[in-house]
């Protein structure tokens, strides 16, 4: 059986390779042999995640025609990639991309920084801001006042408190998406929601299509659930989804689920346009794939003139294709572990029934606090505070990184909490390791990819501002110098890939 999960056409690969030629080399750079340049180009595309791991490459003759080179050149490039571990082949099955066995695969998510390290370390690991006061305190006080009637019950509400389900349904209806309370289930955070959805729809060994890159913690959750992840590369910069690639993956791999972040994608910050949303839903419906849409960043538009596209579920009026996940974690506070699912009533009933074997329900007090916020206008007031803080942090971090690290490349997103940065050819894994030694914690690109892609990237969240953002950039620049010169690298952080 072939080991590839998607296919890369010759024209598409040629176009991606051509885009690399716009990147200037250093002065006096010697031109490598044609086969070596081709092998290096494909290797870099794999490491950057622009060509997914386990993607079937074109046949040698086909690619030679598309690139206008000899078949011998392509054959030599493929052989070099096989020798280096970036390509695997099998007679009758073709050749597909891989990463060498020595590459440290992302085995964990982004765990919070231990409290004892807060004083000495600038934490750019988690994309989460402190609670927006005084709204957290007021919400908890309001929840305590509303608690007595619920305290006389058993306290288990597998679908969520009826009052909160009704309020969340009303919010979707106000956004132009008619919704009944029966279409809502309250969960313990967005992670709890997606975990429940994966267990219901995708058993062990099922394929789940994911954006490449994607949110690290969700990728790890799906790995541990036994899913086979099928990466779909994002379009360049902040252009959102590459619909041609999505159609191809949905058609060829037939995944049971697809997981996407349409609003201020984590980690890239991309905002999918309305036409992209419509086309993705149509393609998924045709393929029989259920699309799980993560809306946790949807309320974090930071530019005042930004018009938000219609929610993805708005293009699925029958409710058969799209399941939406929301959360209070990013818009309000990560410590408020309240999430929710919007789906067809039969899906909600199945999720609720399965919950009896999981956590039974979400804590009542936190649900009452979120309900208080939504009922009193406190939610919108807190989101306004959050946007103002994130906007100031974004602008400060962008200015500091551009000043201290002018060779690093990124585009500034119009919302969300994350900056996706190409590190000027340095290894993101080495930067993460050396960064902790100089006092800045940053997650490396491979954590956001499937099977070791994105080695040349790091994610920088908008969690610090002002003088702290300046100092974070100074420490990152110090880490970059150590990585570039090799002064900070020991055997314990050696990495074979410096793109």
């Amino acid at each position: 059986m072939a080991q590839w999960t998607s296919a890369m056409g010759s024209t598409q690969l040629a176009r991606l390779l051509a885009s690399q030629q716009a990147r200037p080399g250093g002065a006096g750079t010697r031109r490598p042999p044609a086969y070596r340049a081709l092998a290096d180009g494909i290797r870099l595309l794999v490491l950057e995640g622009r060509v997914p791991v386990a993607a079937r490459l074109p046949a040698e003759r086909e690619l030679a025609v598309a690139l206008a080179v000899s078949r011998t050149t392509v054959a030599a490039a493929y052989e070099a990639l096989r020798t280096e571990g970036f390509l695997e082949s099998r007679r009758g099955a073709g050749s597909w991309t891989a990463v060498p066995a020595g590459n440290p695969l992302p085995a964990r998510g982004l765990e919070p920084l231990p409290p004892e390290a807060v004083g000495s370390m600038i934490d750019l690991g988690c994309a989460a801001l402190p609670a927006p006061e005084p709204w957290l305190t007021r919400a908890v006080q309001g929840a305590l006042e509303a608690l007595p009637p619920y305290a006389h019950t058993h306290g288990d509400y597998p679908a969520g408190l009826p009052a909160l389900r009704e309020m969340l349904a009303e919010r979707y209806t106000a956004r132009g998406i008619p919704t009944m309370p029966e279409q809502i289930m309250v969960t313990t955070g967005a992670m709890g929601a997606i975990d429940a959805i994966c267990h219901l729809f995708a058993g062990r060994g099922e394929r789940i299509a994911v954006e490449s890159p994607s949110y690290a913690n969700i990728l790890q959750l799906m790995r541990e659930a036994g899913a086979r992840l099928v990466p779909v590369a994002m379009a360049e910069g902040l252009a959102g989804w590459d619909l041609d690639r999505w159609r191809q993956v949905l058609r060829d791999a037939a995944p049971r689920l697809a997981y996407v972040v349409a609003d201020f994608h984590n980690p890239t910050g991309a905002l999918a346009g309305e036409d992209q949303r419509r086309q993705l839903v149509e393609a998924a419906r045709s393929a029989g794939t259920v699309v799980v849409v993560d809306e946790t960043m949807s309320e974090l538009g930071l530019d005042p003139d930004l018009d938000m596209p219609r929610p993805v579920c708005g293009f699925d009026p029958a409710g058969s294709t799209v399941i939406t996940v929301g959360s209070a974690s990013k818009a309000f506070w990560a410590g408020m572990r309240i999430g929710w699912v919007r789906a067809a009533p039969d899906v909600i009933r199945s999720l609720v029934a399965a919950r009896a074997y999981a956590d039974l329900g979400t804590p009542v007090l936190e649900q009452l606090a979120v309900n208080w916020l939504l009922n009193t206008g406190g939610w919108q007031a807190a989101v306004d505070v959050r946007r103002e803080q994130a906007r100031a942090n974004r602008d400060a971090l962008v200015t500091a990184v551009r000043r201290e690290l002018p060779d690093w490349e990124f585009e500034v997103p119009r919302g969300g909490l994350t900056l996706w940065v190409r590190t000027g050819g340095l290894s993101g894994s080495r930067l993460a390791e050396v960064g902790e030694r100089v006092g800045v914690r940053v997650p490396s690109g491979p954590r956001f990819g499937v099977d070791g892609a994105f080695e040349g990237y790091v994610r920088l969240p908008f969690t610090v501002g002002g003088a702290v953002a300046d100092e974070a950039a100074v420490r990152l620049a110090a880490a970059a110098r150590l990585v570039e010169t090799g002064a900070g690298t020991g055997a314990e952080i050696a990495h074979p890939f410096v793109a």
Side-chain angles (χ1 to χ4, degrees):
M1 180 179 176
Q3 300 300 306
W4 50 273
T5 57
S6 63
M8 176 68 60
S10 58
T11 301
Q12 185 180 17
L13 181 56
R15 184 171 65 249
L16 290 172
L17 289 166
S19 70
Q20 296 176 330
Q21 297 174 3
R23 300 181 190 177
T29 301
R30 296 174 60 183
R31 188 180 183 87
Y35 86 90
R36 184 69 261 172
L38 176 56
D40 288 346
I42 294 174
R43 176 181 61 86
L44 182 58
L45 289 172
V46 172
L47 290 175
E48 289 185 342
R50 298 171 70 196
V51 170
V53 175
R56 186 176 185 272
L57 294 187
E60 294 171 2
R61 188 185 305 276
E62 184 183 349
L63 184 58
V65 171
L67 295 175
V69 299
S70 71
R71 183 179 176 182
T72 302
T73 296
V74 177
Y78 278 15
E79 181 58 32
L81 289 168
R82 275 190 289 269
T83 301
E84 296 161 5
F86 285 93
L87 197 68
E88 295 182 10
S89 303
R90 181 175 300 167
R91 185 178 297 276
S95 300
W96 56 92
T97 55
V99 290
N103 188 32
L105 301 182
R108 299 174 299 167
L110 302 180
E111 66 281 357
L113 185 69
E116 63 271 14
V118 170
S120 59
M121 183 78 67
I122 297 177
D123 185 13
L124 298 180
C126 294
L129 291 164
E133 288 289 20
W135 300 108
L136 174 62
T137 299
R138 293 180 182 177
V140 173
Q141 291 171 341
L144 288 171
E145 292 174 2
L147 182 61
Y150 296 94
H152 294 294
T153 72
H154 51 63
D156 287 334
Y157 295 86
L161 295 183
L164 180 55
R165 296 175 73 195
E166 183 175 353
M167 180 56 61
L168 291 169
E170 289 178 4
R171 283 173 55 81
Y172 278 105
T173 300
R175 294 168 68 190
I177 314 297
T179 303
M180 304 178 295
E182 292 79 8
Q183 292 177 261
I184 301 293
M185 181 177 83
V186 181
T187 62
T188 308
M191 293 286 288
I194 294 171
D195 182 56
I197 293 166
C198 289
H199 279 88
L200 179 63
F201 283 91
R204 297 193 69 84
E206 291 275 7
R207 291 177 175 177
I208 301 179
V210 296
E211 296 153 322
S212 184
S214 186
Y215 179 38
N217 288 338
I218 294 298
L219 294 181
Q220 185 60 19
L221 181 155
M222 292 175 175
R223 289 188 190 99
E224 293 182 356
R228 296 175 61 190
L229 302 184
V230 183
V232 186
M234 297 286 287
E236 281 291 293
L238 299 177
W241 299 321
D242 186 325
L243 268 301
D244 288 338
R245 296 187 186 185
W246 269 105
R247 291 190 190 94
Q248 185 177 42
V249 166
L250 292 173
R251 181 182 63 249
D252 296 346
R256 184 71 181 90
L257 288 179
Y259 168 76
V260 298
V261 184
D263 303 306
F264 313 119
H265 175 259
N266 186 355
T268 69
L271 177 65
E274 283 209 10
D275 195 49
Q276 290 180 319
R277 298 170 188 230
R278 180 184 296 107
Q279 291 186 53
L280 180 62
V281 173
E282 291 173 354
R285 185 181 296 119
S286 298
T289 299
V290 175
V291 181
V292 181
V293 181
D294 187 335
E295 285 192 339
T296 54
M297 295 281 193
S298 64
E299 297 194 60
L300 292 178
L302 303 184
D303 294 344
D305 61 341
L306 178 62
D307 291 325
M308 288 296 294
R310 193 179 186 195
V312 178
C313 58
F315 301 100
D316 180 39
S320 60
T321 301
V322 176
I323 297 176
T324 303
V325 172
S327 171
S329 295
K330 303 299 183 184
F332 187 74
W333 184 46
M336 188 74 74
R337 303 304 305 160
I338 298 296
W340 53 86
V341 178
R342 181 202 180 272
D346 61 319
V347 173
I348 294 297
R349 285 193 294 271
S350 296
L351 289 169
V352 171
R355 197 169 194 178
Y357 308 101
D359 61 358
L360 293 178
T362 300
V364 170
L365 190 64
E366 283 85 343
Q367 291 188 71
L368 289 172
V370 171
N371 193 56
W372 183 92
L373 288 165
L374 295 175
N375 268 301
T376 62
W379 178 274
Q380 189 57 52
V383 169
D384 289 343
V385 171
R386 172 68 74 238
R387 287 174 178 161
E388 183 178 349
Q389 185 180 14
R391 185 185 305 115
N393 287 355
R394 177 194 64 179
D395 296 346
L397 187 64
V398 165
T399 299
V401 172
R402 283 178 171 166
R403 180 182 64 246
E404 301 294 335
L405 293 150
D407 292 336
W408 287 19
E409 302 173 36
F410 56 86
E411 293 190 37
V412 181
R414 304 196 69 186
L417 289 172
T418 60
L419 200 65
W420 186 237
V421 182
R422 182 183 284 127
T423 55
L426 299 179
S427 162
S429 296
R430 289 185 178 180
L431 283 166
E433 182 69 25
V434 176
E436 294 215 19
R437 298 182 183 182
V438 299
V440 60
R441 185 171 183 260
V442 58
S444 63
R447 288 194 171 196
F448 303 89
V450 176
D451 292 337
F454 303 108
E455 184 53 52
Y457 289 82
V458 294
R459 188 194 73 173
L460 305 180
F462 315 143
T463 52
V464 297
V468 180
D470 290 337
E471 180 61 22
V474 168
R475 296 185 187 185
L476 283 171
R481 286 191 296 271
L482 289 172
V483 171
E484 193 167 15
T485 62
T489 59
E492 71 280 5
I493 60 169
H495 195 288
F497 314 133
V498 183

